[in-house]
Amino acid sequence: MASQQGKWRDDQILIICPGSLTTMAQLGCGELTLPTHRLPTRMFKDAETNDFVPYHTYERKKTGATKVADDDKSDDQWEYVEDRDSDEGAIFPIVGGRIVNMPAFLAFLDHVHSLLTTTYHNTPIMLMASPQWTRPDCESIARYVFEKTKTPALCLLHSAIAAQYGLKWPTMTIVDIGYEKVDVTCIHEYNIVNHKELGFPNPQRKISGGEVFTQRLLQLLKKKGFTYDMAEQLKKNAICEVLPYSPDSKILMDLPTEDLAPTSSQPTATSFSGAEGARVAEPSKPTTAFGGETENGMNEGKETDEGVLDVANIVTSGNTREFLAKKEKEKAEKAKSKSKGKGQESEPAAAKPAKLPNSKRKVNSFHYEELVHEDVEVSTANGATKTDATTATADGAPPSDATMAEGATSTQETKPDGTGDANGDAVESTTNGIGAERRTKRVRRDIEVGLERFLFADRGEINRISDTIYRTIQGIPDMYERPGCWDNLVFVGNGSRLRGLKENIMQTLLARHLISPSTATIFTSELPSNMATPSGTGSQTPTGSFTGQLPTTSSVNPLLQAATTASLGVPGTTQAPGSTSGDAISHHSHGQTPMSIKMAPLPTYLAEWTKNGFEEGMFLGSLIAARLAYCIHNMDAATMESQRMMSLNRVDYNERGPKAIHEHSMLP
């Protein structure tokens, strides 16, 4: 069978990682960088053709249309314009990780491809698949890619496997907290051994993940005039955090109880007057031996350097004694002013109260930014442009509070020159060109928030996530595979960026499910199956089929000996299935209860990812997997066959059809 694997350069590979709200995409996998494109996962219906379009379109008057034609709806007076920021009428093909509108999703894939590249025949695709995608979904994607386009190869990569490729650990538990869903996947030695999920959009909408916290925050602050966008920005701000788990508190968190003493970065009246006094006490500009001031206080008759005098000019001037007396006086005044200034500066520094951390403050403020759209009438006459703001939507923000940021975005378009009189009235004139233009600016406001920024942490949602993690790991059929999954927990997904959420989940797991490895626990869990459980002294006669020597006060207790030698590989003892002989620090038979719960160490060799965080580690793993699937050369026959099974090429698709994607992919 012909194969075309390993014949592409790393700059030809198209990587697409779709999500419910945002899709990460990039052309090329040569550099392990952050995604270059983050596109909203949405499509719109065209009113005229009923096809899917990537942006919202609205109708406006053409630039240059005459004023008398306002009521004229002819095509030559109006035009359709794309608004790339609007969600009006948007269709989201992925909800809760599930593809709910396959035609819209396929049109979205075509839009992403056409946006990043212009050819199909030499651009293989690496597409990350969610665990919720069904087998028919994968077949429909493969059929569309190979029958509607000229893509040479397609690789479907499971999102948990992608995260594992990016974070390097062979055994781990991946907790993916997304927009409206949470996925918990256990991987042992590169194989998925168990999976559970939260969030079901159909038939009853039960969401989980980051959106739950946003809705809770909006519910608490709605009476204060907060909108959904304001609640979303507040959730992403550093002042909004999940407090540490406190089992002794009724609400399982310790809220701040005292108000913060007011602190001001402005100088007080004392410090201000002291600064002015210091300026007044400064010596005047130094003069020459002849009594005249010079630029920068330097002249031939004065010091050219500190402590160095021009003796010749001083002597010839005849005022040597007066000059030396004046210099001594200036030095004394300068030293006095310096000491006075230092004493006054230390007082406000000592009186300034220490700044409390956010978790200890009852009230804190954040900067809210919003995009304000304005429809501006534009009239052009003899090359001069006149604009008048007609409407502005600021979502309740008064114009006096709006401040333009330096990085304000603008959607201005180039307007053709008009032919009318520059001094004529643009409204009344019928010769001037008049059009509408939508402009966008960024408005910033400071908003104070109280304890709602802590109370939004829905305890029920955190309990559901921690319980799902526990059930997923404890549900692994082979109990000897569970300890490795407990010791390597990883949180991915942008929903896990919420400050303090990962730490709170870990604290909940430790408080509710961790079993301390006490001596009694180790002994009772490692006893052979044919022995009864010993008592505290170990001197009672065991029941069951044990026929060995009974313990005495001077002999070694056989129960303790069996417990301590069960995992050491002592001759004559029976090893538990899957245990490592001679490994004194591992207790494989403790898989029934977790004795250690830890987060996996994250890689440190990628500075850009370390700074940004590994919440988008699935994309990093997709880059690595794309290299392995498409760009590796000079392999032996066995390795080449394994590489061929990682992706589906056009030759295999023509022979076996879309069902071959289940075998030629990186899906479980």
Side-chain angles (χ1 to χ4, degrees):
M1 181 181 296
S3 176
Q4 300 183 18
Q5 305 300 100
K7 294 185 179 180
W8 292 283
R9 302 189 309 271
D10 54 15
D11 59 345
Q12 294 177 321
I13 315 301
L14 178 61
I15 296 94
I16 304 176
C17 297
S20 299
L21 277 186
T22 305
T23 294
M24 299 175 289
Q26 179 175 309
L27 180 62
C29 57
E31 299 292 336
L32 301 180
T33 60
L34 298 174
T36 57
H37 299 276
R38 289 182 174 88
L39 310 172
T41 311
R42 66 192 183 195
M43 296 297 288
F44 300 85
K45 275 283 190 177
D46 191 350
E48 294 184 351
T49 62
N50 205 30
D51 294 333
F52 289 102
V53 292
Y55 306 113
H56 170 66
T57 57
Y58 66 96
E59 194 177 26
R60 77 174 185 189
K61 187 185 299 183
K62 289 184 178 180
T63 302
T66 57
K67 186 68 177 180
V68 294
D70 281 345
D71 298 333
D72 186 7
K73 295 297 182 179
S74 58
D75 294 339
D76 57 345
Q77 300 293 334
W78 298 86
E79 62 181 351
Y80 286 98
V81 182
E82 293 180 350
D83 187 355
R84 303 196 175 193
D85 298 325
S86 176
D87 281 339
E88 182 180 353
I91 299 174
F92 295 91
I94 300 179
V95 178
R98 295 167 174 82
I99 302 178
V100 297
N101 193 324
M102 181 58 70
F105 181 71
L106 297 178
F108 175 74
L109 290 181
D110 186 72
H111 162 65
V112 174
H113 187 281
S114 61
L115 184 66
L116 300 183
T117 182
T118 57
T119 59
Y120 272 106
H121 65 280
N122 61 350
T123 307
I125 297 177
M126 169 65 69
L127 179 62
M128 189 188 75
S130 298
Q132 291 81 7
W133 291 10
T134 62
R135 293 173 67 90
D137 290 341
C138 299
E139 295 173 8
S140 299
I141 294 172
R143 184 182 298 107
Y144 177 83
V145 168
F146 287 106
E147 294 183 5
K148 301 296 183 181
T149 69
K150 296 181 180 180
T151 301
L154 171 66
C155 177
L156 292 184
L157 175 63
H158 193 276
S159 60
I161 299 296
Q164 185 194 32
Y165 270 72
L167 301 175
K168 80 177 183 179
W169 295 105
T171 299
M172 61 196 310
T173 298
I174 299 170
V175 184
D176 185 358
I177 304 178
Y179 173 59
E180 292 181 341
K181 54 97 176 179
V182 176
D183 291 318
V184 182
T185 307
C186 296
I187 300 177
H188 180 76
E189 296 297 334
Y190 303 101
N191 294 317
I192 296 178
V193 292
N194 202 9
H195 170 78
K196 289 187 182 297
E197 61 190 38
L198 289 174
F200 303 94
N202 292 315
Q204 294 181 355
R205 184 172 175 82
K206 296 181 180 179
I207 63 174
S208 181
E211 180 65 10
V212 173
F213 300 105
T214 305
Q215 295 292 344
R216 174 63 176 167
L217 195 58
L218 180 61
Q219 179 183 358
L220 294 173
L221 295 172
K222 197 169 185 179
K223 295 181 179 179
K224 296 184 178 181
F226 268 63
T227 62
Y228 178 84
D229 185 61
M230 296 170 69
E232 182 69 18
Q233 288 194 30
L234 175 60
K235 187 189 74 171
K236 297 178 181 179
N237 196 277
I239 71 169
C240 196
E241 63 175 310
V242 181
L243 295 178
Y245 178 77
S246 178
D248 298 332
S249 175
K250 184 177 180 180
I251 58 176
L252 302 180
M253 68 176 72
D254 294 329
L255 295 174
T257 56
E258 297 181 359
D259 292 330
L260 176 66
T263 61
S264 177
S265 59
Q266 299 295 332
T268 59
T270 304
S271 61
F272 181 78
S273 59
E276 291 294 333
R279 293 195 196 100
V280 174
E282 289 180 357
S284 57
K285 286 187 177 181
T287 58
T288 65
F290 302 97
E293 292 185 358
T294 61
E295 184 179 2
N296 297 328
M298 308 297 289
N299 204 341
E300 299 96 9
K302 192 191 165 296
E303 302 176 73
T304 55
D305 289 311
E306 183 69 23
V308 179
L309 301 176
D310 192 346
V311 181
N313 287 335
I314 294 175
V315 172
T316 56
S317 63
N319 298 323
T320 306
R321 182 174 300 178
E322 292 81 358
F323 179 77
L324 293 177
K326 187 175 181 180
K327 292 300 299 178
E328 291 296 332
K329 185 178 179 181
E330 289 178 357
K331 288 183 179 180
E333 291 178 354
K334 185 181 295 186
K336 184 178 179 180
S337 63
K338 285 184 178 180
S339 61
K340 185 178 179 181
K342 289 182 180 179
Q344 290 179 346
E345 289 176 0
S346 60
E347 292 179 1
K352 185 177 181 180
K355 185 177 181 181
L356 294 178
N358 176 64
S359 59
K360 302 298 182 182
R361 306 179 65 176
K362 293 185 64 175
V363 179
N364 208 341
S365 60
F366 81 105
H367 306 297
Y368 169 62
E369 293 185 354
E370 61 179 336
L371 296 179
V372 179
H373 303 283
E374 292 182 344
D375 288 333
V376 180
E377 287 189 359
V378 180
S379 61
T380 58
N382 295 336
T385 303
K386 180 180 179 181
T387 60
D388 294 319
T390 57
T391 59
T393 58
D395 296 336
S400 58
D401 295 339
T403 56
M404 289 290 293
E406 292 181 1
T409 59
S410 177
T411 57
Q412 297 183 12
E413 299 177 3
T414 305
K415 300 171 287 298
D417 295 340
T419 57
D421 186 7
N423 297 323
D425 192 346
V427 177
E428 298 179 358
S429 173
T430 59
T431 58
N432 288 349
I434 300 176
E437 180 182 89
R438 174 164 292 187
R439 295 181 180 177
T440 305
K441 65 179 181 180
R442 195 179 301 275
V443 178
R444 177 173 174 176
R445 290 185 289 165
D446 293 339
I447 303 176
E448 285 192 350
V449 185
L451 296 179
E452 295 87 357
R453 68 187 196 278
F454 304 131
L455 297 173
F456 82 100
D458 193 331
R459 193 66 239 177
E461 176 65 16
I462 296 178
N463 291 340
R464 284 192 294 270
I465 296 176
S466 59
D467 291 344
T468 303
I469 296 174
Y470 178 80
R471 291 197 305 268
T472 305
I473 300 179
Q474 293 302 109
I476 299 176
D478 194 343
M479 61 184 296
Y480 307 109
E481 297 176 353
R482 299 172 189 171
C485 295
W486 277 117
D487 288 339
N488 293 280
L489 286 170
V490 173
F491 293 87
V492 297
N494 285 321
S496 63
R497 290 185 183 272
L498 184 59
R499 185 179 180 185
L501 178 60
K502 294 180 286 188
E503 292 77 7
N504 192 290
I505 294 175
M506 289 297 298
Q507 293 163 2
T508 304
L509 291 172
L510 292 171
R512 298 183 179 180
H513 304 297
L514 181 66
I515 303 298
S516 61
S518 62
T519 305
T521 306
I522 295 177
F523 284 168
T524 56
S525 61
E526 291 191 355
L527 290 178
S529 59
N530 62 342
M531 291 187 180
T533 303
S535 63
T537 61
S539 61
Q540 283 83 1
T541 302
T543 59
S545 59
F546 177 71
T547 58
Q549 180 184 0
L550 297 178
T552 62
T553 55
S554 60
S555 63
V556 179
N557 191 335
L559 302 178
L560 301 180
Q561 184 179 8
T564 54
T565 59
S567 61
L568 299 179
V570 178
T573 60
T574 303
Q575 292 288 335
S579 63
T580 14
S581 178
D583 189 2
I585 62 174
S586 65
H587 300 277
H588 290 278
S589 55
H590 296 319
Q592 293 182 354
T593 54
M595 301 178 64
S596 174
I597 303 177
K598 296 181 294 185
M599 292 180 63
L602 299 177
T604 57
Y605 49 84
L606 297 173
E608 189 176 6
W609 282 94
T610 302
K611 181 180 179 181
N612 181 73
F614 285 87
E615 286 79 10
E616 296 176 339
M618 302 87 67
F619 185 82
L620 174 61
S622 300
L623 296 176
I624 299 174
R627 286 184 178 182
L628 297 176
Y630 295 125
C631 304
I632 302 299
H633 306 271
N634 302 326
M635 300 173 294
D636 55 17
T639 308
M640 187 176 298
E641 180 64 17
S642 299
Q643 185 193 50
R644 189 181 68 86
M645 299 299 292
M646 292 177 67
S647 62
L648 179 63
N649 56 42
R650 185 167 291 276
V651 176
D652 293 332
Y653 177 83
N654 292 336
E655 292 183 0
R656 303 183 56 186
K659 292 185 179 297
I661 193 64
H662 303 302
E663 297 180 6
H664 292 263
S665 65
M666 301 180 69
L667 299 175

